[in-house]
Amino acid sequence: KLRHFILCNPTLSQATLDKFQKSHDFGYGLQYLPSSSLGTSYSVGLIDDRDGYYQFGKGDRSAMIVSAEQAQLAKFANNPLLGAAFDSANIPVTWRPSELILNPVQYKNLYLGALGEFVGRVLLEHEFGVQLNPLSDPSLFELFDFEIGDQVMVDFKNWRGRHDPSAGHERDKVLSKLASVREKTGHEWRAMIINVNPGVNGKITINGGRAGSTGGSQGARILEVPGMLDKDGQVVLTAAQRKLIGGFLLE
Protein backbone atom coordinates (compact mmCIF):
# COMPACT_ATOMS: atom_id res chain seq x y z
CA LYS A 1 0.00 0.00 0.00
CA LEU A 2 2.86 2.39 0.75
CA ARG A 3 4.53 1.89 -2.64
CA HIS A 4 1.24 2.18 -4.49
CA PHE A 5 0.38 5.33 -2.56
CA ILE A 6 3.67 6.90 -3.62
CA LEU A 7 3.08 5.95 -7.26
CA CYS A 8 -0.34 7.58 -7.14
CA ASN A 9 0.86 10.63 -5.21
CA PRO A 10 4.24 11.96 -6.35
CA THR A 11 2.73 15.35 -5.48
CA LEU A 12 -0.12 15.83 -3.03
CA SER A 13 -1.80 18.10 -0.53
CA GLN A 14 -0.96 18.13 3.17
CA ALA A 15 -4.52 16.98 3.92
CA THR A 16 -4.11 13.89 1.70
CA LEU A 17 -0.83 12.98 3.38
CA ASP A 18 -2.30 13.49 6.86
CA LYS A 19 -5.26 11.25 6.04
CA PHE A 20 -3.00 8.45 4.78
CA GLN A 21 -0.69 8.70 7.77
CA LYS A 22 -3.56 8.54 10.25
CA SER A 23 -5.05 5.44 8.60
CA HIS A 24 -1.74 3.55 8.15
CA ASP A 25 0.87 3.28 10.89
CA PHE A 26 3.67 2.89 8.33
CA GLY A 27 2.52 6.05 6.58
CA TYR A 28 4.41 8.21 9.06
CA GLY A 29 7.61 7.09 7.35
CA LEU A 30 6.68 9.24 4.36
CA GLN A 31 8.44 12.57 4.28
CA TYR A 32 7.45 14.89 1.44
CA LEU A 33 8.95 18.29 0.68
CA PRO A 34 7.08 21.61 0.45
CA SER A 35 6.75 22.25 -3.27
CA SER A 36 6.12 26.00 -3.17
CA SER A 37 9.62 26.72 -4.45
CA LEU A 38 10.09 23.44 -6.36
CA GLY A 39 7.00 23.07 -8.54
CA THR A 40 6.68 19.61 -10.09
CA SER A 41 10.40 18.99 -10.61
CA TYR A 42 13.71 19.84 -9.01
CA SER A 43 17.35 18.78 -8.95
CA VAL A 44 19.68 17.98 -6.07
CA GLY A 45 23.40 17.42 -5.87
CA LEU A 46 24.54 13.96 -4.82
CA ILE A 47 26.77 13.99 -1.76
CA ASP A 48 26.58 10.40 -0.54
CA ASP A 49 24.40 8.01 -2.55
CA ARG A 50 24.77 5.14 -0.09
CA ASP A 51 23.55 7.15 2.90
CA GLY A 52 21.07 9.24 0.91
CA TYR A 53 22.68 12.65 1.39
CA TYR A 54 21.72 15.29 -1.17
CA GLN A 55 22.17 19.02 -1.37
CA PHE A 56 19.85 21.49 -3.07
CA GLY A 57 21.19 24.08 -5.44
CA LYS A 58 23.91 21.86 -6.92
CA GLY A 59 24.01 21.96 -10.70
CA ASP A 60 26.98 19.71 -11.28
CA ARG A 61 27.09 16.44 -13.21
CA SER A 62 26.25 14.41 -10.12
CA ALA A 63 22.88 16.13 -9.79
CA MET A 64 19.75 14.01 -9.69
CA ILE A 65 16.52 15.30 -11.20
CA VAL A 66 13.22 14.44 -9.56
CA SER A 67 10.46 14.73 -12.15
CA ALA A 68 7.87 12.85 -14.17
CA GLU A 69 10.02 13.33 -17.27
CA GLN A 70 13.09 11.85 -15.60
CA ALA A 71 11.00 8.88 -14.46
CA GLN A 72 10.08 8.44 -18.17
CA LEU A 73 6.38 8.14 -17.40
CA ALA A 74 5.34 9.46 -20.81
CA LYS A 75 7.46 6.83 -22.56
CA PHE A 76 5.94 4.05 -20.48
CA ALA A 77 2.44 5.40 -21.05
CA ASN A 78 3.07 5.53 -24.80
CA ASN A 79 2.65 1.75 -24.65
CA PRO A 80 -1.14 1.24 -24.87
CA LEU A 81 -1.10 -1.64 -22.40
CA LEU A 82 0.86 0.35 -19.81
CA GLY A 83 -1.12 3.53 -20.45
CA ALA A 84 -4.35 1.69 -19.70
CA ALA A 85 -2.80 0.09 -16.61
CA PHE A 86 -1.69 3.50 -15.30
CA ASP A 87 -5.21 4.85 -15.78
CA SER A 88 -6.79 1.85 -14.06
CA ALA A 89 -4.44 2.12 -11.07
CA ASN A 90 -4.77 5.94 -10.85
CA ILE A 91 -1.06 6.46 -11.44
CA PRO A 92 -0.54 9.95 -12.91
CA VAL A 93 1.69 10.29 -15.96
CA THR A 94 1.87 14.05 -15.47
CA TRP A 95 2.65 15.40 -12.02
CA ARG A 96 0.25 18.15 -11.00
CA PRO A 97 1.31 21.11 -8.87
CA SER A 98 0.35 20.69 -5.22
CA GLU A 99 1.58 21.53 -1.73
CA LEU A 100 4.07 18.67 -1.41
CA ILE A 101 6.41 16.64 -3.64
CA LEU A 102 8.45 13.46 -3.10
CA ASN A 103 11.82 13.91 -1.45
CA PRO A 104 14.88 12.68 -3.42
CA VAL A 105 15.53 9.60 -1.26
CA GLN A 106 12.00 8.26 -1.52
CA TYR A 107 11.86 9.16 -5.21
CA LYS A 108 14.95 7.10 -5.93
CA ASN A 109 14.51 4.23 -3.47
CA LEU A 110 10.71 3.85 -3.47
CA TYR A 111 9.07 5.60 -6.40
CA LEU A 112 11.37 4.41 -9.19
CA GLY A 113 11.50 0.89 -7.75
CA ALA A 114 7.72 0.68 -7.39
CA LEU A 115 7.32 2.01 -10.93
CA GLY A 116 9.63 -0.71 -12.28
CA GLU A 117 7.70 -3.40 -10.40
CA PHE A 118 4.35 -2.15 -11.68
CA VAL A 119 5.49 -1.88 -15.29
CA GLY A 120 7.33 -5.21 -15.20
CA ARG A 121 4.41 -7.12 -13.75
CA VAL A 122 1.98 -5.77 -16.34
CA LEU A 123 4.35 -6.60 -19.21
CA LEU A 124 5.44 -10.06 -18.07
CA GLU A 125 1.93 -11.26 -17.26
CA HIS A 126 0.61 -10.01 -20.58
CA GLU A 127 3.46 -11.17 -22.79
CA PHE A 128 3.90 -14.65 -21.27
CA GLY A 129 0.56 -15.45 -19.66
CA VAL A 130 2.01 -16.06 -16.20
CA GLN A 131 0.74 -15.02 -12.79
CA LEU A 132 3.12 -13.02 -10.63
CA ASN A 133 2.35 -13.33 -6.94
CA PRO A 134 3.61 -11.44 -3.89
CA LEU A 135 6.32 -13.30 -2.02
CA SER A 136 4.70 -15.90 0.21
CA ASP A 137 7.32 -15.44 2.93
CA PRO A 138 7.46 -11.83 4.25
CA SER A 139 11.08 -12.33 5.30
CA LEU A 140 12.04 -12.51 1.61
CA PHE A 141 10.53 -9.15 0.64
CA GLU A 142 13.90 -7.42 0.39
CA LEU A 143 15.34 -10.11 -1.88
CA PHE A 144 12.95 -10.27 -4.85
CA ASP A 145 9.74 -8.61 -6.05
CA PHE A 146 7.47 -11.50 -7.05
CA GLU A 147 7.34 -15.27 -7.38
CA ILE A 148 5.91 -17.43 -10.15
CA GLY A 149 4.59 -20.72 -8.81
CA ASP A 150 7.15 -22.26 -6.49
CA GLN A 151 10.03 -22.22 -8.96
CA VAL A 152 10.90 -18.71 -10.17
CA MET A 153 11.74 -15.51 -8.30
CA VAL A 154 11.42 -12.25 -10.24
CA ASP A 155 13.27 -8.99 -9.65
CA PHE A 156 12.41 -5.97 -11.80
CA LYS A 157 14.95 -3.21 -12.35
CA ASN A 158 14.53 0.34 -13.60
CA TRP A 159 18.09 0.94 -14.75
CA ARG A 160 18.77 3.86 -17.09
CA GLY A 161 21.92 2.27 -18.55
CA ARG A 162 23.26 -1.17 -19.40
CA HIS A 163 23.97 -3.31 -16.39
CA ASP A 164 25.80 -6.62 -16.47
CA PRO A 165 25.13 -8.88 -13.47
CA SER A 166 26.92 -11.71 -15.32
CA ALA A 167 30.25 -10.08 -14.48
CA GLY A 168 31.45 -9.90 -10.91
CA HIS A 169 29.60 -9.30 -7.70
CA GLU A 170 26.11 -8.61 -9.09
CA ARG A 171 25.71 -12.23 -10.14
CA ASP A 172 27.07 -13.37 -6.80
CA LYS A 173 24.50 -11.18 -5.04
CA VAL A 174 21.66 -12.88 -6.93
CA LEU A 175 23.08 -16.32 -6.17
CA SER A 176 23.30 -15.35 -2.49
CA LYS A 177 19.66 -14.27 -2.56
CA LEU A 178 18.66 -17.58 -4.15
CA ALA A 179 20.56 -19.41 -1.43
CA SER A 180 18.56 -17.51 1.21
CA VAL A 181 15.31 -18.39 -0.55
CA ARG A 182 16.34 -22.05 -0.72
CA GLU A 183 17.14 -22.03 2.99
CA LYS A 184 13.72 -20.57 3.80
CA THR A 185 11.65 -22.71 1.44
CA GLY A 186 13.60 -25.96 1.40
CA HIS A 187 14.01 -26.21 -2.38
CA GLU A 188 15.84 -24.65 -5.31
CA TRP A 189 14.56 -21.59 -7.17
CA ARG A 190 15.52 -19.84 -10.39
CA ALA A 191 15.71 -16.06 -10.76
CA MET A 192 14.67 -13.66 -13.51
CA ILE A 193 16.20 -10.17 -13.44
CA ILE A 194 14.33 -7.89 -15.85
CA ASN A 195 15.12 -4.29 -16.70
CA VAL A 196 12.05 -2.37 -17.86
CA ASN A 197 13.63 1.04 -18.52
CA PRO A 198 12.79 2.25 -22.06
CA GLY A 199 15.54 2.20 -24.65
CA VAL A 200 17.93 -0.17 -22.86
CA ASN A 201 18.50 -3.34 -24.86
CA GLY A 202 20.99 -6.17 -25.13
CA LYS A 203 21.41 -9.90 -25.27
CA ILE A 204 19.76 -12.05 -22.66
CA THR A 205 22.25 -13.63 -20.26
CA ILE A 206 21.84 -16.96 -18.50
CA ASN A 207 24.01 -17.87 -15.53
CA GLY A 208 26.55 -15.33 -16.73
CA GLY A 209 26.88 -16.80 -20.22
CA ARG A 210 25.42 -15.58 -23.46
CA ALA A 211 22.29 -17.32 -24.63
CA GLY A 212 22.30 -18.58 -28.18
CA SER A 213 19.61 -17.44 -30.58
CA THR A 214 17.81 -20.78 -30.38
CA GLY A 215 19.55 -22.37 -27.40
CA GLY A 216 17.61 -23.62 -24.43
CA SER A 217 18.06 -22.62 -20.82
CA GLN A 218 17.72 -25.98 -19.11
CA GLY A 219 19.36 -25.96 -15.70
CA ALA A 220 20.05 -22.22 -15.68
CA ARG A 221 19.57 -20.47 -12.34
CA ILE A 222 19.65 -16.80 -13.37
CA LEU A 223 18.17 -15.22 -16.48
CA GLU A 224 18.64 -11.52 -17.13
CA VAL A 225 16.64 -9.49 -19.62
CA PRO A 226 18.56 -6.22 -20.12
CA GLY A 227 15.54 -4.51 -21.68
CA MET A 228 11.99 -5.14 -22.86
CA LEU A 229 11.04 -1.73 -24.24
CA ASP A 230 12.42 0.56 -26.93
CA LYS A 231 12.79 4.32 -26.43
CA ASP A 232 9.13 4.78 -27.37
CA GLY A 233 7.89 2.28 -24.80
CA GLN A 234 7.09 -0.54 -27.21
CA VAL A 235 8.02 -4.17 -26.48
CA VAL A 236 11.08 -5.17 -28.51
CA LEU A 237 11.59 -8.82 -27.61
CA THR A 238 12.48 -10.95 -30.62
CA ALA A 239 10.91 -14.33 -31.31
CA ALA A 240 14.12 -16.02 -30.14
CA GLN A 241 14.16 -14.02 -26.93
CA ARG A 242 10.51 -14.83 -26.25
CA LYS A 243 11.28 -18.51 -26.77
CA LEU A 244 14.21 -18.33 -24.38
CA ILE A 245 12.23 -16.59 -21.66
CA GLY A 246 9.28 -18.92 -22.15
CA GLY A 247 11.56 -21.94 -21.85
CA PHE A 248 13.07 -20.61 -18.64
CA LEU A 249 9.59 -20.15 -17.15
CA LEU A 250 8.50 -23.66 -18.10
CA GLU A 251 11.51 -25.62 -16.86
Side-chain angles (χ1 to χ4, degrees):
K1 290 184 177 180
L2 176 65
R3 295 167 80 82
H4 185 71
F5 180 84
I6 286 178
L7 280 181
C8 295
N9 297 279
T11 61
L12 78 171
S13 66
Q14 184 66 56
T16 299
L17 178 60
D18 290 344
K19 181 179 179 180
F20 182 79
Q21 289 177 330
K22 290 177 181 179
S23 58
H24 301 83
D25 290 340
F26 54 79
Y28 287 96
L30 287 177
Q31 299 294 327
Y32 282 73
L33 298 175
S35 63
S36 57
S37 62
L38 300 177
T40 58
S41 67
Y42 63 90
S43 64
V44 290
L46 174 62
I47 298 177
D48 189 327
D49 187 38
R50 183 180 61 182
D51 293 328
Y53 293 145
Y54 300 91
Q55 182 173 343
F56 287 85
K58 290 288 184 178
D60 56 26
R61 288 179 296 177
S62 65
M64 181 179 75
I65 300 173
V66 177
S67 69
E69 181 180 5
Q70 193 69 12
Q72 303 194 86
L73 289 166
K75 292 183 178 180
F76 285 127
N78 196 44
N79 180 298
L81 177 69
L82 294 176
F86 285 157
D87 287 343
S88 179
N90 296 315
I91 297 173
V93 175
T94 300
W95 293 3
R96 297 180 179 179
S98 192
E99 296 176 87
L100 305 171
I101 188 170
L102 281 171
N103 72 56
V105 176
Q106 292 181 338
Y107 168 78
K108 180 180 179 182
N109 296 337
L110 290 178
Y111 184 88
L112 293 181
L115 179 62
E117 291 173 16
F118 182 88
V119 167
R121 182 175 190 174
V122 171
L123 291 175
L124 197 63
E125 290 188 338
H126 178 265
E127 295 294 325
F128 294 94
V130 294
Q131 178 68 48
L132 275 69
N133 299 307
L135 301 185
S136 53
D137 186 337
S139 68
L140 302 177
F141 284 175
E142 295 300 317
L143 301 182
F144 295 97
D145 298 328
F146 299 100
E147 60 188 38
I148 300 175
D150 61 353
Q151 298 291 327
V152 180
M153 287 286 172
V154 182
D155 194 10
F156 291 113
K157 301 298 183 183
N158 198 357
W159 289 322
R160 291 297 296 264
R162 288 290 303 278
H163 195 82
D164 189 3
S166 67
H169 70 281
E170 287 295 340
R171 182 182 61 194
D172 293 336
K173 284 171 59 177
V174 177
L175 290 172
S176 178
K177 290 180 180 182
L178 285 174
S180 297
V181 175
R182 181 183 66 239
E183 183 178 349
K184 286 284 186 178
T185 63
H187 68 273
E188 294 284 353
W189 290 73
R190 303 185 301 282
M192 297 182 69
I193 314 299
I194 303 175
N195 185 24
V196 300
N197 202 278
V200 182
N201 298 298
K203 291 184 179 180
I204 294 176
T205 60
I206 297 179
N207 257 359
R210 294 295 179 184
S213 60
T214 60
S217 58
Q218 188 66 32
R221 301 190 66 205
I222 304 172
L223 180 144
E224 183 208 3
V225 181
M228 290 184 70
L229 302 172
D230 64 16
K231 60 182 179 62
D232 297 315
Q234 307 309 307
V235 177
V236 291
L237 294 175
T238 66
Q241 289 174 325
R242 289 176 184 274
K243 180 179 179 181
L244 193 62
I245 295 170
F248 188 86
L249 289 168
L250 293 173
E251 284 182 21

